[in-house]
Amino acid sequence: MSRHAIALAQINPTLGNLERNVALHQKSAEEAIGRGASLLIFPELSLTGYFLKDIVSSVALALTSPLLDRLRDLSHRIDLVVGLVEESPEHLLYNAALYLSKGEIRHLHRKVYLPTYGIFDEQRYLAEGSRIRTFRAAVGRSAILICEDMWHPSTVCVASIDGMEILISPSASPGRGGLEEGQAFANARAWETITRAYAQLFTCYVLYANRVGYEDGACFWGGSEVIAPSGEPIAKAEYLSEQILMAEIDTAEVRRARMINPLLRDERLDITLREMERVRREGPR
Amino acid sequence: MTGLSLHCEFARKILSGFIANEVRKTGFSRVIVGLSGGLDSALSAYLGAEALGAENVLALLMPYKTSSSESRAHAELIVKELGIQSDLIDITPMVDAYFERFPEADQVRRGNKMARERMTILFDVSAKFRALVLGTSNKTELLLGYGTLYGDMASAINPLGDLYKTQVRALAGHIGIPEAIIRKEPSGDLWVGQTDEAELGFTYEEVDQVLHLMVDRRFEIPDIVAAGFDEQFVRAVLAKIQSSQYKRRLPLIAKISARTIDRDFRYPRDWGK
């Protein structure tokens, strides 16, 4: 079966309140299950909220945490992507996302690129992830890249070469600037450009789950969307409002896109690696 | 001026969402706003009413004996248009009682005292009305330091603090604030004949363009001059921002301990909310 009903949870988590956020996850999952979804994707740091600052250490969860058991249980009924502060056995804290299915953690992605500029402060509080891996999900071979990871195309290249058909991108994007030009923040328009470009360039689905709500005055703009491998958006949530966005994805579309545009077939990994190595060795010209 | 235009409907949605969200998550459902009759407090009141409902907004009119009758008429017009609750508290007795002790005080001291008198009343009545104080300072005056610290700059949440004055005007027009209020000369009305632009020495139109380039677009001074602005003017604007930086920060705390408030004890204000 190549068709799957999936859902993106455009929610407004409470900053630093795990208990309330787990309840919000359960409620969202019930709605998604009721509407027939087999996969529900939550935004970045969906269990904790985003601008945590010093709260970070108080809401960090080990992967063995009983609190996560409740989500594992839920994953018998629907596959879940959830965002959390993960505490490693060495007590390093990561901005992470889990893929949960049938009571198991099937995949862990630790955010590789931690923005620390402008309104962002992640490197002050968090450790950098160091892996980009695809994994087998029911909807197809998937990769999770969290928010800022997506602003470095190298991450998407690696995932693509590693077999990605579905790019899952949980995000907590605060709106900034651009209200001069139209009815969207400047960075929202930028996101809409890159999600479409990645879908088209890597002939994959892009599932972009962004949150809504306000934290200390910053506004998360929502606008979650599902982009088909053709680069066409097939579902888009409203800006600024909470919503469970439903979409049907069909991995046969990935095949069709790759028949039309055999970009992956023509990718030259050897050249890329050789030239990257040269630049690393010799510096830019 | 393209950089300062504003998609008013989207901004309106963000700002009324901001008020509703930030007020309710603290457990409140109401706001209180000091209504001067001027444009900024009018816009805050409109946004507050839109976010929370007119019945959840209380406007306080706090004139001094020299305040213009036009200011009062405009404040009353806003109350009527919005159907919000209001109260009038004349600050003349308390301000005059205080300055009997300092008859020589100049108009700046007197103006600051009036602004702080109004602040204490707003915060007192906010406790009675179980409301948060809604701010009215715009980005232009915050950056220039053109406001009274612990006076009109004091609030619990401020929907206007990231809008330049020219954007406040545009949004006010869009949201339906009466033309007479939008078109009149901006004034603190702290003494007879005071106007912002005469006191500042430049117009909001001019300074907002410079502030936008300097703050939002990160132009350095030579870049702003190359864009067609007078160097002396640009330097004067920067000097105002620099000399008023203290007004935009908490008081300095002498560091003694391992963890000092706001230095290395850093929590969001919306902690747990």
Side-chain angles (χ1 to χ4, degrees):
Chain A
M1 221 205 33
S2 67
R3 291 182 181 201
H4 303 269
I6 61 112
L8 308 182
Q10 187 166 293
I11 56 167
N12 177 14
T14 301
L15 189 57
N17 189 327
L18 286 167
E19 198 54 46
R20 205 188 293 175
N21 291 331
V22 169
L24 178 61
H25 281 63
Q26 289 170 320
K27 179 171 161 269
S28 306
E30 290 303 333
E31 180 179 338
I33 292 165
R35 293 170 70 182
S38 61
L39 166 63
L40 175 61
I41 298 161
F42 287 95
E44 177 180 17
L45 294 176
S46 58
L47 285 170
T48 62
Y50 182 72
F51 286 110
L52 292 160
K53 300 188 169 189
D54 282 358
I55 305 171
V56 135
S57 55
S58 311
V59 294
L61 297 171
L63 294 181
T64 50
S65 157
L67 195 125
L68 289 178
D69 289 344
R70 286 149 68 185
L71 297 171
R72 271 184 231 255
D73 289 347
L74 199 55
S75 76
H76 285 289
R77 298 167 61 212
I78 184 168
D79 287 6
L80 299 171
V81 175
V82 302
L84 73 161
V85 178
E86 181 230 347
E87 181 163 349
S88 73
E90 309 78 37
H91 309 297
L92 303 185
L93 308 181
Y94 294 95
N95 180 339
L98 298 177
Y99 190 100
L100 302 171
S101 179
K102 299 182 175 55
E104 300 292 333
I105 295 172
R106 291 296 176 87
H107 182 70
L108 163 69
H109 176 72
R110 293 169 169 168
K111 190 174 184 177
V112 172
Y113 286 99
L114 303 179
T116 306
Y117 58 84
I119 54 172
F120 302 111
D121 236 354
E122 290 189 35
Q123 282 184 39
R124 181 181 171 89
Y125 300 103
L126 298 158
E128 291 169 330
S130 55
R131 286 168 177 232
I132 297 157
R133 299 278 193 278
T134 60
F135 60 99
R136 173 57 57 192
V139 291
R141 189 137 203 101
S142 302
I144 297 175
L145 294 173
I146 301 173
C147 208
E148 189 83 357
D149 288 339
M150 293 276 280
W151 287 77
H152 295 265
S154 52
T155 61
V156 194
C157 284
V158 170
S160 176
I161 300 281
D162 199 38
M164 171 182 72
E165 298 171 289
I166 317 282
L167 171 52
I168 297 171
S169 181
S171 178
S173 172
R176 308 188 292 293
L179 262 60
E180 304 87 20
E181 288 127 54
Q183 188 160 350
F185 286 111
N187 62 318
R189 287 194 292 272
W191 267 108
E192 286 158 6
T193 301
I194 70 171
T195 51
R196 282 153 187 72
Y198 285 157
Q200 195 151 42
L201 292 174
F202 299 104
T203 47
C204 64
Y205 275 99
V206 177
L207 315 183
Y208 175 71
N210 189 24
R211 58 163 292 186
V212 291
Y214 297 77
E215 286 179 1
D216 278 12
C219 170
F220 299 96
W221 50 271
S224 302
E225 56 187 8
V226 177
I227 315 292
S230 62
E232 288 300 312
I234 54 172
K236 172 126 184 115
E238 296 286 313
Y239 293 138
L240 311 180
S241 51
E242 290 174 77
Q243 189 180 339
I244 304 293
L245 179 73
M246 297 289 302
E248 188 184 82
I249 65 173
D250 182 352
T251 42
E253 285 294 332
V254 175
R255 182 175 189 275
R256 282 180 210 120
R258 290 178 186 181
M259 295 302 113
I260 296 164
N261 269 325
L263 302 173
L264 182 64
R265 181 197 68 191
D266 298 345
E267 194 60 41
R268 298 287 301 276
L269 184 56
D270 49 349
I271 295 179
T272 306
L273 287 176
R274 192 178 68 230
E275 294 301 317
M276 288 282 197
E277 278 297 339
R278 174 189 60 77
V279 176
R280 185 166 73 164
R281 199 172 53 242
E282 299 172 9
R285 283 171 185 269
Chain B
M1 279 296 289
T2 52
L4 281 166
S5 60
L6 186 69
H7 193 289
C8 289
E9 189 52 33
F10 193 56
R12 173 185 187 167
K13 213 171 159 188
I14 292 162
L15 296 177
S16 66
F18 161 79
I19 294 170
N21 188 289
E22 295 286 6
V23 167
R24 290 193 179 123
K25 72 181 157 197
T26 59
F28 286 83
S29 57
R30 297 168 171 180
V31 290
I32 182 169
V33 60
L35 210 55
S36 66
L39 188 59
D40 299 310
S41 59
L43 181 58
S44 276
Y46 268 72
L47 291 167
E50 182 161 289
L52 302 168
E55 68 282 9
N56 290 314
V57 180
L58 173 60
L60 285 192
L61 284 59
M62 296 173 283
Y64 181 68
K65 64 189 176 193
T66 60
S67 300
S68 86
S69 58
E70 186 192 67
S71 296
R72 170 137 168 216
H74 284 161
E76 283 167 350
L77 175 63
I78 293 153
V79 168
K80 186 161 157 279
E81 288 272 321
L82 288 175
I84 55 180
Q85 304 178 62
S86 71
D87 198 359
L88 185 138
I89 298 172
D90 182 358
I91 63 168
T92 309
M94 8 328 192
V95 171
D96 284 358
Y98 178 77
F99 282 111
E100 273 175 27
R101 174 80 170 68
F102 301 106
E104 77 292 356
D106 62 15
Q107 59 189 13
V108 173
R109 275 180 69 190
R110 286 172 190 272
N112 282 335
K113 175 69 178 161
M114 288 174 216
R116 293 185 180 123
E117 196 62 47
R118 293 183 177 117
M119 179 278 292
T120 65
I121 295 167
L122 272 175
F123 277 85
D124 174 60
V125 179
S126 78
K128 177 171 173 249
F129 188 59
R130 296 195 305 281
L132 293 184
V133 175
L134 196 58
T136 63
S137 300
N138 63 56
K139 188 172 186 173
T140 308
E141 63 188 37
L142 286 174
L143 284 170
L144 297 176
Y146 190 59
T148 300
L149 185 60
Y150 310 122
D152 54 291
M153 289 176 75
S155 70
I157 65 165
N158 178 2
L160 307 189
D162 211 10
L163 294 177
Y164 289 109
K165 182 73 175 187
T166 41
Q167 296 175 313
V168 167
R169 278 192 193 127
L171 185 54
H174 174 80
I175 211 166
I177 289 176
E179 271 296 310
I181 298 172
I182 297 174
R183 269 182 294 132
K184 72 176 169 182
E185 270 214 82
S187 166
D189 199 14
L190 293 172
W191 52 86
V192 176
Q194 182 194 23
T195 69
D196 295 5
E197 291 179 346
E199 204 180 353
L200 288 165
F202 39 73
T203 67
Y204 281 120
E205 294 270 333
E206 293 167 325
V207 76
D208 281 357
Q209 294 183 60
V210 170
L211 290 172
H212 175 75
L213 293 177
M214 195 183 285
V215 175
D216 299 73
R217 309 230 15 236
R218 299 195 180 217
F219 277 43
E220 302 294 343
I221 286 189
D223 307 334
I224 304 173
V225 173
F229 294 91
D230 175 65
E231 182 165 351
Q232 286 313 107
F233 173 48
V234 176
R235 290 198 181 277
V237 171
L238 179 60
K240 276 185 186 292
I241 298 175
Q242 202 175 344
S243 65
S244 62
Q245 179 63 5
Y246 74 96
K247 290 187 173 185
R248 292 180 293 269
R249 303 294 307 269
L250 286 178
L252 291 185
I253 292 175
K255 185 161 177 67
I256 297 283
S257 74
R259 221 169 160 210
T260 306
I261 294 160
D262 260 22
R263 198 76 186 257
D264 37 24
F265 175 83
R266 301 181 180 214
Y267 286 83
R269 204 173 96 165
D270 287 344
W271 187 359
K273 300 195 170 77

